[in-house]
Every structure is written in structure tokens, then in C-alpha cells.
Amino acid sequence: MEYFLELFFGGLTRGSIYALIALGYTMVYGIIELINFAHGEIYMIGAFTGLIVAGVLGALGFPGSAILVFAIVAAVIYSAAYGFTIEKIAYRPLRGAARLSPLISAIGMSIFLQNYVMLAQTSDFLPFPSLLPELGFVKHFKGILGSSDFIIIVTTIVVCVALTLFIKYTKMGKAMRATAQNRTMAQLVGVSVDTVISVTFIIGSSLAAVGGVLIASHIGQINYYIGFIAGLKAFTAAVLGGIGSIPGAMLGGLVLGLTEAFATGYVSSDYEDVFAFALLVLILIFRPSGIMGKEKIQKV
Amino acid sequence: MSNPVLQVNDISMDFGGIRALDEIQLDVRQGEIAALIGPNGAGKTTFFNCITGIYTPTTGDVLVSPEGGAAKRINGMKPNLVTELGMARTFQNIRLFPSMTVLENVMIGTHCRTRSGLWGAVTRNRATRKEEADTIEKSFHLLELMNLEQYSNELACNLPYGKQRRLEIARALATGPFLLLLDEPAAGMNPQETMALKELVLDIRERFNISILLIEHDMKMVMSTSDRVFVLEYGRLIAHGTPKEVSENPAVIKAYLGEDEDV
Amino acid sequence: MSNVTKADTGASQNPVAFFLTAGCESFAESLRKSVLASLWFIFLTFPIMVIKVDTINKTIDWRWMNMAYIGIGTFVLSFVWRWALARKELTKEESTRENISEKMLDRISSNSYAKYGFLALFAAAAVVFPHAVGMYQTNIMISCLIYIVLGLGLNMVVGIAGLLHLGYVAFYAVGAYSYALLNMHYGIGFWTALPIGALFGVVFAVLLGLPVLRLRGDYLAIVTLGFGEIVRLVLENWGDVTMGPSGISGIDRPGFFGVKFGVMDSITYAYYIMLGLLIFTIFVINRLQNSRLGRALLALREDEIASQAMGIDRTKAKLLAFALGSCWAGLAGVVFAAKTTFINPASFTFWESAIVLSVVVIGGMGSIRGVIAGAVILVLMPEYLRAFSEFRMLVFGATMVLVMVFRPQGLISAKRKIYTYVKGKSATNE
């Protein structure tokens, strides 16, 4: 039972991070119908920014809690800036182009960013300081739930609730929903579609950055390649939940995280990544619209 | 009265709770030109999509009997098989293959009537060469019929609008249909072009001995070409009959002609 | 950034002025824009380019020179960027934009003497090559030929059928491992393994393709990416069969009717095999492109719904392209295993798929000449410019973005056969 709970909370932690990244995929897809392959790299850049800021502040002797706050804030700012810039350079000039073009552009961007970080930093794994504080009351769950697990799960819940409220109640949120439903109509009624798309990228990237710093601090090491696998899995989560659906991305992340945790815990840890991809292939075959997604009517 | 080549029995189409088509009953007889009219959003194109396999109707039956043979139920059949059976269509918002030439567009239409496969393509044997030559010849003749032969090597996207519509008809004819479904063929055409199109539609029926089902907004064209007219409003069939009967039907005048005067 | 009227006025100016003010009202404005872009990128790249931390020893390495490079680089590039965008806007109407190399190729191929002369010259050079240069150069050329064949195979899937395939290397691995394992366990020779490798490629493609080819294009991209990773992970972890990460060594080099060659000769021999395979590939693809099936695939890429309405079986056509592409990956895989005599999963990472994809995209999707040019440039350049090789994926990635934005048809755009009808008989012109 204890083993089961340990796997359960481990899966929940993992799933939370997938959910945070999956939100970026799902939001961008909802608005411009593009799989932003570079999104995993944004997450990786968030983690690296966090590491660099933590390293500098650590060397300057800042206290741990301040380092954590600064690292997350810097990661969010930088990831958002990268997301914004990437959209402007690699996707915006391709609006209205053939469907394959922005996808290839996205792949190119992803390859570019991985190599950029690898060349500017290092291709080795870098140790990431554990920034997350030890919480006293978590001790009662020793062996089942760690402090960082708890913090990650709670942060994810808070972020998801905030995002849902933002989309539901703010003017920008309404504009985003309108653009997602019908871009031309939204434009006609005065929504600035360019701004909406930029904001979508900024929000999605910020969430990925939060996930990046949290998980890097939890696991304790990062390299330039972490975005690739995490991105692929988060995309799986987004599809699992129903791409374009925000609650779907959260649910998809959790389901994927738990599946992985139990599969590696009870079956074999060698094939950890294979489970996720196999799940992806299976969903796409049997239920491409995902758990929460609506089936799309093809317009002719 | 000749046999129906297309018999649509009470088809309905729901899109997640919204009923786009409600128990439509319609038939097209051999050699007939039938028209489907109705205000924008009445469900005319949805109807076409339902009978050509792009959508599967929620309920009801679509039956075809090419050349008076036994009726065959085709709802839910894949679009390419529907075309192979002999129903070819054009699209309201023109869907040509833009970066292929005009001639190639028509050649694609012969796909389901030709057979050469991988082996033939690689060895380019005699049968394949003959089939290619026949395809080119047949396609070119169709272009001549549409007065498009001088554009045969232009890219389809460089043709003006009216000619693109005619090219779509040529491409549909290349599939060798017994029933041609035209979705607003006169849309975007000027009066002269529409007149020419009217002649063309009548000529196609004679020359190929086929039936035609037409969606059209141009009333003059509908009234002067069609043998029978079906009127849709909000997904329901509100009237059908000869052009004269329909144009005198009060429900139609109210639903369509009365409100649509400014068109 | 720019609109047509501004770009139009730009065209009448002299080229230098156009370059300096493209997309802007005045030089002052473009200067301001470039300075802003430069500052923005300095900010953007600051932590990653400038700072390098060592969290264990708590030391920080500040690389201020990088900041200067970025600042100056972006300043200049932002002019180029605006200029290229404005130029693209200007030339939008001309659908048949051709560059110098395309014009030259056209001139050569329109004159049959020149065309056959050039072909003969190429053929002679290709035949003599391994004897004229050393083993090292020949080896590099074999890799280049393998990439050309891979590129042409992937081109069938991506360029002609329009299916974005990101796990192509998985089928290459299938070919290579088929030969390696058959050779290790049953002593099966190269020539027997060649068709078997191709067959396995096709079988895997059909197994994966049947369920996933119904999916929309972007889903297909991610599923193939996932599949590529699954294959690599299985190769790494299923040690009992695949020997795991350490790979399989001592694979036989290709023999010639039972005759075995020494190392030097066998490399020359492998070169000729690859050359033959390439010629065969070009022959098949060229014929296929200009056939009923080739046209159907192109139509499918242009408009799926319309092509279905024209009677094209979507699943069947896509499956054909997918299976054919994988067949060539399988063939190339067998040759690769035979050439290197050692394979391990590290040869089949996502990066290989990415390189082959960049060959196709940068060379020109759907264009045989483009893919060949793409492979030659992308594979040989990093080999000969060693200093450049560590930056190659960086450059490939950036180039893919730039090609999509500014020249989607690639280096050499696809040239299609023109069909003409002559009364009485049909004739076709290349």
C-alpha cells in the first residue's frame, strides 16, 4: 500500500509538470492550430534561466527563499520573452501559408534552440540546486510524499485555477476564447488577433517556465535535451485530454503521469518513455479527440 | 417518367444537438436537371456532403441506381467510393489543386476510371503508356468542351474565377459520373458567364446523357434549366415541384423570394 | 512589418537605399528598429550567452564578448530580415521565381547536347571518384550518397505526399538491424539482406501507417516522432536481442558472388553499390512522380477533400507513399550496416531524422535535384569545414525556419512534367 501511494504521489508530481507544459501546447493549438514543437525548448530555457539566476544569487550569498522567488520570476520573464519572440520570427510570417510550413518552421526552431543552449552552455548534465524548502508537516508522510512533490502539486493546482479564472472572466480571456472559435469573426468584432496570439504564447511559455524550475529543482539536474522528451510527453498529455481544451490538458497530464508512474513501478523502468509514446499512439488511433475534446466538424 | 438515379429517403443530419437537415426526401430521375434552392444556411451544402460521403447522415437512406440497376445504399460510404459509383461534385468554395496545371486537374478526375499501379508507373509498359495517352486525350477534350483548352498548361490558381468554376465541372465530368452535383456553379460569375454556363449545363446533360443536381442562388438560371426544384429552409424541405409550381408556392415566396429580394 | 505600398516605393529606389529602409518610412525609423531589435536580443540572450555558472564551486563565468557579438549581429541581421520580408512581399505575385542555379539548370536541360554532356561528365566523375581520392574521401562520399537516398525516400513522404514524417530514422534502423541480426545469427549475406531490409521497412511502415495515416497531418508528425523514439528505446533496452547500447559489431561487408574484398576494395565496392542504389532510386521516383499514382499523391497534398471527391482513396495513397519511403530507408539501412560493420542505437537518434528532414526541406520539397543538392551541401559542408561542424545543427535549424519563411520551395524548386495533347497522338515533354 505504501509503495502504491508512493507511486501515486510520484505520478501526481510528474503529471503536474506535464500538465503545466501541456497547457502551453493546448492554448497555442486552440488559437492557431499549430503544434508548437519549440514549446519543450521554452521549458528547457526556463529551467536554464532558473539555474543561472540561482547560481549567480547563490554565489552572491542570497538566502534560499529569495533565490527561489528570483529564479522563478526570471525564468517566467525569459521564457515568456522567448515564446513571444519565436512566434514573431518563426510563425507570424507563415500565417496563411501551407499547413506543413509552420510545422517545419517549428521543428527548425526547436532544433535551433536546443543547439543554441548546448553551445552557449554545455552538453553535459548540470546539477541544479534544490531550491524548494522543506516543509515540516510533510514529514508525517515520509516515504510517500516529499516536500517538493507537495509544493509542485499545490503550485500546479493554484496555477491552473488562476488560468481558468483568467480565461473565463477577463477581457483578454474572452478575446482568446473568441479567437479560438473563429479568428475572422473575432477580428471583425474588434479583437486584436495579433495581440491575442502573442499573449497566448506568453502565458503558455510562463507556465512552462514554472514547471521547468520546479521539476529541475526536484530532480536536481538539467541538460539541453530535457525539453525534447518533456515536450513530447506534455504534448501526449494535451492530446490525451483533448487538444484545445484547458481542463483536458490538466487531466491529461495527471493521467499520463500516473500511468507512467504505475507502469514503471509495477512493470519495468527500462521502458519508461515507451509507455508514454505507446499511450499517445493508442489515443490517437482510438480517440483522437481525447478525453475532454469535442469532435471537430470538417468544414467543406 | 424515368426511374430515379438518386433516391434520398428522410435523411437527417445532427451536429452535436443542432439539426442541420431534418428528414429530407428528394429524388433525381434519369436525365433530369433538378435544383436545390434555399436561403443561405438552409443546409444545401450539408445535404451534398451527406450524399457524397463527406458526412454520414444521422438517420435516413441515400440510395443510388446507376443506369436503372438495383438501388444501392451509400450512406456512410467513403467519398472516393461514392465518386467511383458515379456521383461527382463541385465545391461551393472552389477546391481545385492550385499548383497543378489545368490539364492535370482534369487528369486527376480520371483517377478512379484508370488502373495503372506502381509496377506500371515504374516500368512504363505499353498498357500504362496507352492509359496515360488516353487520359491526356480525354482530359483535353473535356477542356475543349469547357473552352479552357488554351489554358491547359497554366496553373489552376492563375485562372480567373469563372474559369476555375468551369474547370471544376470538367474535373468532375472526368470521373465519368451518371449524376453531377453542382454546388453554386454560377456564384461569382457575371451575367454573360452565367448565360454561357446555363447553355453548358444543358449541353452537358445531352452530350453525356447524365442527370444533374444543382445548388444555385441565381433564380433565372434555376428557373430556366431545371425540370424540378426542391426548396430547403432551416434544414427542412418546404416545397418541391416544377419551377412554375415552386415559384407560385406561398411558403417559398415567404421563405425565400420574399426575404431575399436584395440578393 | 511591411506593406505593399511601402515595398513598392522601395523597388524604385536604388538597391542600397532599399536595403537600408525596407519596410520602414525612413532610415531613421529603420535604425531605431534595428537598435531596438539589437537591445531586445541582448536582453533575450543575456543569461544563456553571457553567464555560465558552476553551482557546486559557486563560481560564475561572465562572457561579455558574447553580448557584443549578439548586439552587433542582431543589428545587422535585422536589416537583412526586413529587407528579405519586403522583397518577399514584392515578388509575391511572381509564382515562378527562379534563382540563378535554377536558371542554369534549366538552360542546361533545355539543350539536349548540354544535358547529356553534363550527365556524362557527372557519370564519369562519379565512376572515377573512389580511384582518384583516398579511402577517407570515399567513405565520406558514401555517407553523402546514403543521405541522398534517405532524402529522396523521405521526399516521397514529405515532399510529394505532404505527410510530415519525423521518425524516418526508425525505418533506417529497421533496415540496418535486420541485416546486422540476420548476419550475426544466420550468416545471411548482404545481397540477400538488401531486399529483406526493404521488406521489413515496408512491413513496419504498413503496421504503423494503417492506424495513424487517418490522422490529421500534425498528429501524424508527432506520432512518427514518438514511434522513432520507441524504436530507439527498444533497441537500447532489449539487450537480449539487439545487444543494447553497445550495439552489434563485426557485420560482414558486402561480398561479390562469394568473393570477399579487403578493407580498401570493399569500401570502393560499397561506394559503387550506393551509387547504383541512388541511380535506381532516382529512376523509380522520377517515373513514379509523373504517373497516375504520383499525380494522385500530389493532389492529396494540395487538397485532401477535393482529391477524395475525385475518387482517390486517401488511406491507400498515403500508405503507398509511407511504405515506399520506408522501403528506401530500409535499403539505405542495410548498406549503412554493411559499410560501417558496426551499428548501435546512437546512430539512430532523432537528430538523424532531423538531418534528413533538413536535407529535404532546405533542398526543396518534391524536387529530386533539390534533395540531391541539399544532401551534398548539408553533409559535405560540415565534413570539410571542421570548424563549422559543431554548429551544424544550429545552422540547419535556423535555415529550416528561414527557408519556410522566405523560400518555401527550397533551394531548387520542384519541376513538374508538362503534359501536352497533340491531335492524333499524345506527347509529353519533360
Side-chain angles (χ1 to χ4, degrees):
Chain A
M1 188 62 196
E2 199 162 287
Y3 185 54
F4 174 84
L5 283 177
E6 189 191 332
L7 290 177
F8 178 78
F9 285 110
L12 226 47
T13 307
R14 229 181 238 257
S16 301
I17 299 300
Y18 293 152
L20 282 177
I21 310 173
L23 284 168
Y25 276 113
T26 237
M27 287 170 71
V28 166
Y29 194 91
I31 299 231
I32 56 172
E33 297 219 327
L34 167 74
I35 298 178
N36 178 13
F37 276 101
H39 190 61
E41 273 55 65
I42 304 254
Y43 151 88
M44 178 267 291
I45 284 173
F48 262 91
T49 310
L51 171 72
I52 289 163
V53 169
V56 171
L57 296 183
L60 295 175
F62 274 67
S65 52
I67 294 179
L68 175 66
V69 172
F70 279 117
I72 289 187
V73 169
V76 164
I77 291 174
Y78 269 97
S79 286
Y82 272 95
F84 170 81
T85 312
I86 289 166
E87 191 270 330
K88 222 162 169 174
I89 289 179
Y91 307 146
R92 187 164 297 184
L94 289 171
R95 265 187 233 158
R99 206 182 160 82
L100 218 52
S101 303
L103 267 181
I104 292 174
S105 185
I107 302 267
M109 194 36 100
S110 161
I111 295 171
F112 175 82
L113 289 174
Q114 283 184 31
N115 283 276
Y116 155 70
V117 173
M118 182 187 87
L119 292 168
Q121 294 287 321
T122 173
S123 58
D124 302 326
F125 270 97
L126 288 174
F128 199 102
S130 77
L131 301 172
L132 303 176
E134 284 297 327
L135 301 173
F137 67 91
V138 180
K139 276 196 203 110
H140 305 298
F141 304 102
K142 200 161 171 54
I144 299 171
L145 175 71
S147 283
S148 51
D149 292 300
F150 180 80
I151 293 171
I152 288 174
I153 295 167
V154 170
T155 312
T156 305
I157 294 170
V158 171
V159 166
C160 288
V161 170
L163 181 68
T164 311
L165 293 177
F166 172 81
I167 288 188
K168 207 151 185 186
Y169 295 111
T170 63
K171 206 171 165 210
M172 183 43 84
K174 279 181 191 150
M176 286 167 82
R177 280 184 289 150
T179 312
Q181 278 196 3
N182 190 330
R183 201 195 297 176
T184 325
M185 279 311 289
Q187 208 150 19
L188 284 175
V189 297
V191 173
S192 162
V193 170
D194 280 350
T195 314
V196 167
I197 293 174
S198 290
V199 170
T200 308
F201 271 85
I202 288 172
I203 294 176
S205 306
S206 313
L207 300 179
V210 173
V213 176
L214 291 179
I215 195 72
S217 171
H218 176 62
I219 293 177
Q221 58 173 6
I222 56 173
N223 80 345
Y224 74 99
Y225 203 62
I226 55 168
F228 180 74
I229 294 288
L232 205 53
K233 289 190 182 167
F235 178 79
T236 306
V239 172
L240 184 58
I243 195 143
S245 152
I246 287 174
M250 305 173 196
L251 187 65
L254 295 184
V255 171
L256 180 66
L258 290 174
T259 311
E260 268 191 4
F262 289 125
T264 47
Y266 289 120
V267 186
S268 158
S269 61
D270 286 347
Y271 291 97
E272 183 189 319
D273 296 338
V274 175
F275 293 122
F277 301 139
L279 189 64
L280 171 68
V281 174
L282 290 177
I283 317 156
L284 285 175
I285 292 167
F286 293 108
R287 195 176 158 77
S289 53
I291 303 171
M292 316 269 287
K294 276 185 243 148
E295 239 174 292
K296 232 183 160 168
I297 301 159
Q298 201 167 27
K299 284 191 194 122
V300 178
Chain B
M1 233 354 109
S2 43
N3 299 323
V5 289
L6 171 72
Q7 175 79 46
V8 178
N9 290 335
D10 301 324
I11 63 164
S12 301
M13 182 77 214
D14 294 340
F15 291 119
I18 298 161
R19 179 145 280 209
L21 291 176
D22 192 11
E23 308 204 327
I24 308 290
Q25 177 88 27
L26 179 151
D27 64 290
V28 180
R29 294 164 192 154
Q30 164 60 34
E32 181 182 48
I33 297 181
L36 184 61
I37 63 171
N40 284 329
K44 302 181 298 286
T45 297
T46 306
F47 179 79
F48 265 24
N49 290 340
C50 279
I51 61 175
T52 53
I54 291 176
Y55 300 154
T56 303
T58 317
T59 59
D61 279 331
V62 183
L63 303 164
V64 296
S65 50
E67 289 153 28
K72 196 170 161 103
R73 191 166 170 274
I74 61 162
N75 26 341
M77 204 182 238
K78 279 171 147 187
N80 54 304
L81 294 177
V82 173
T83 308
E84 218 172 301
L85 264 179
M87 279 168 52
R89 68 175 292 181
T90 65
F91 293 90
Q92 185 183 358
N93 45 349
I94 303 174
R95 299 190 86 125
L96 290 165
F97 306 115
S99 59
M100 297 174 92
T101 67
V102 168
L103 186 65
E104 277 179 305
N105 265 275
V106 185
M107 286 167 76
I108 295 289
T110 66
H111 185 88
C112 60
R113 302 286 169 237
T114 44
R115 283 291 152 259
S116 71
L118 197 55
W119 181 249
V122 176
T123 57
R124 230 174 248 178
N125 52 20
R126 180 184 295 217
T128 309
R129 289 200 305 270
K130 170 142 190 343
E131 195 180 85
E132 281 283 297
D134 290 347
T135 299
I136 294 172
E137 183 174 351
K138 182 182 169 195
S139 308
F140 193 79
H141 284 321
L142 282 170
L143 286 179
E144 281 180 329
L145 183 70
M146 299 289 154
N147 278 323
L148 290 171
E149 72 274 16
Q150 67 269 41
Y151 305 105
S152 62
N153 290 332
E154 298 270 341
L155 291 185
C157 57
N158 294 341
L159 284 189
Y161 205 67
K163 294 193 170 67
Q164 290 198 4
R165 289 232 175 260
R166 290 219 301 275
L167 177 55
E168 266 212 327
I169 299 177
R171 189 178 67 173
L173 283 172
T175 66
F178 66 83
L179 175 64
L180 185 61
L181 307 164
L182 302 177
D183 197 344
E184 297 198 21
M189 285 189 172
N190 62 33
Q192 287 93 325
E193 283 177 318
T194 310
M195 273 299 289
L197 179 71
K198 193 186 96 184
E199 296 303 321
L200 185 67
V201 168
L202 291 170
D203 183 43
I204 286 171
R205 165 168 65 173
E206 294 308 317
R207 196 183 287 259
F208 297 94
N209 187 29
I210 60 175
S211 322
I212 293 169
L213 177 59
L214 183 74
I215 292 177
E216 193 43 75
H217 274 305
D218 187 301
M219 278 306 128
K220 240 196 265 165
M221 168 142 184
V222 169
M223 294 302 162
S224 58
T225 52
S226 324
D227 301 310
R228 282 189 303 152
V229 178
F230 295 82
V231 189
L232 277 187
E233 190 200 15
Y234 298 121
R236 284 165 191 276
L237 193 65
I238 57 167
H240 68 99
T242 63
K244 195 167 176 316
E245 284 166 15
V246 165
S247 62
E248 285 164 1
N249 185 322
V252 177
I253 295 169
K254 182 167 170 292
Y256 192 113
L257 300 172
E259 289 174 358
D260 234 22
E261 259 166 358
D262 52 326
V263 170
Chain C
M1 264 198 165
S2 69
N3 63 41
V4 180
T5 47
K6 280 177 193 166
D8 279 344
T9 55
S12 55
Q13 296 167 2
N14 71 57
V16 177
F18 179 53
F19 176 77
L20 290 177
T21 60
C24 298
E25 299 286 355
S26 62
F27 182 60
E29 191 196 337
S30 61
L31 206 59
R32 194 174 56 88
K33 275 190 178 170
S34 285
V35 170
L36 282 179
S38 172
L39 289 175
W40 175 253
F41 276 91
I42 287 176
F43 160 74
L44 206 58
T45 55
F46 175 70
I48 287 173
M49 290 294 286
V50 177
I51 310 171
K52 196 167 180 178
V53 294
D54 183 337
T55 43
I56 295 172
N57 302 318
K58 302 227 169 185
T59 55
I60 308 165
D61 183 9
W62 299 90
R63 299 166 296 176
W64 294 108
M65 278 314 284
N66 284 346
M67 185 189 255
Y69 296 145
I70 291 283
I72 297 164
T74 344
F75 182 78
V76 175
L77 285 178
S78 70
F79 276 99
V80 180
W81 176 264
R82 283 194 305 269
W83 170 79
L85 271 184
R87 219 179 71 109
K88 180 187 169 199
E89 201 69 41
L90 267 181
T91 47
K92 212 173 214 169
E93 294 307 307
E94 307 163 38
S95 56
T96 51
R97 269 175 296 159
E98 290 198 321
N99 58 20
I100 302 163
S101 58
E102 281 175 344
K103 276 184 195 142
M104 232 169 67
L105 279 173
D106 278 351
R107 199 164 299 159
I108 291 166
S109 55
S110 62
N111 176 335
S112 65
Y113 283 115
K115 183 178 165 186
Y116 289 113
F118 257 89
L119 279 180
L121 209 65
F122 254 118
V127 171
V128 177
F129 187 83
H131 304 286
V133 301
M135 191 166 93
Y136 176 72
Q137 304 292 338
T138 309
N139 243 331
I140 291 175
M141 196 43 91
I142 297 175
S143 321
C144 182
L145 290 173
I146 290 180
Y147 276 103
I148 297 179
V149 169
L150 285 175
L152 288 171
L154 184 63
N155 178 47
M156 202 136 40
V157 187
V158 179
I160 298 177
L163 307 166
L164 187 51
H165 189 347
L166 298 177
Y168 193 61
V169 76
F171 299 98
Y172 183 45
V174 165
Y177 269 88
S178 313
Y179 176 47
L181 291 173
L182 287 172
N183 185 262
M184 186 172 75
H185 293 299
Y186 306 104
I188 285 177
F190 172 79
W191 290 106
T192 322
L194 199 59
I196 297 177
L199 184 72
F200 278 155
V202 170
V203 169
F204 271 76
V206 172
L207 288 180
L208 175 70
L210 264 180
V212 305
L213 284 171
R214 293 174 305 139
L215 299 171
R216 295 236 323 256
D218 30 18
Y219 281 4
L220 182 73
I222 213 104
V223 169
T224 48
L225 182 63
F227 179 76
E229 282 299 297
I230 291 180
V231 168
R232 190 181 56 83
L233 290 167
V234 169
L235 291 178
E236 256 176 28
N237 291 309
W238 198 15
D240 301 342
V241 173
T242 64
M243 319 294 281
S246 52
I248 300 170
S249 55
I251 305 166
D252 283 343
R253 293 176 191 278
F256 185 71
F257 294 109
V259 182
K260 295 215 167 156
F261 296 107
V263 175
M264 178 67 200
D265 283 340
S266 75
I267 283 173
T268 312
Y269 185 46
Y271 169 84
Y272 285 126
I273 291 173
M274 223 29 241
L275 197 64
L277 186 58
L278 173 64
I279 292 167
F280 173 66
T281 312
I282 294 175
F283 174 80
V284 170
I285 290 180
N286 191 39
R287 289 212 151 174
L288 191 74
Q289 233 176 6
N290 299 318
S291 72
R292 170 177 172 268
L293 291 176
R295 284 193 301 271
L297 289 176
L298 275 175
L300 205 62
R301 182 186 76 182
E302 301 259 296
D303 190 327
E304 271 196 23
I305 290 178
S307 48
Q308 278 183 292
M310 291 304 113
I312 293 167
D313 188 331
R314 182 176 63 171
T315 317
K316 228 161 129 185
K318 283 184 176 178
L319 201 58
L320 175 81
F322 202 62
L324 275 177
S326 306
C327 169
W328 260 273
L331 286 173
V334 174
V335 179
F336 174 73
K339 173 213 155 198
T340 54
T341 72
F342 164 72
I343 53 169
N344 70 351
S347 309
F348 307 103
T349 58
F350 170 69
W351 296 113
E352 291 300 308
S353 291
I355 293 173
V356 181
L357 183 69
S358 15
V359 163
V360 176
V361 170
I362 296 171
M365 282 189 277
S367 157
I368 294 178
R369 298 178 305 179
V371 171
I372 295 174
V376 169
I377 295 171
L378 263 54
V379 177
L380 294 189
M381 203 139 76
E383 288 293 346
Y384 291 114
L385 299 172
R386 278 285 159 196
F388 168 79
S389 71
E390 81 179 293
F391 295 100
R392 77 169 178 166
M393 288 316 292
L394 185 83
V395 174
F396 289 0
T399 314
M400 272 163 88
V401 176
L402 295 176
V403 164
M404 281 300 111
V405 173
F406 296 113
R407 204 182 151 80
Q409 72 271 42
L411 210 58
I412 301 175
S413 52
K415 206 148 187 72
R416 303 260 307 122
K417 177 175 179 166
I418 305 281
Y419 297 90
T420 50
Y421 171 69
V422 183
K423 242 187 173 55
K425 61 172 180 140
S426 293
T428 54
N429 294 328
E430 296 281 344

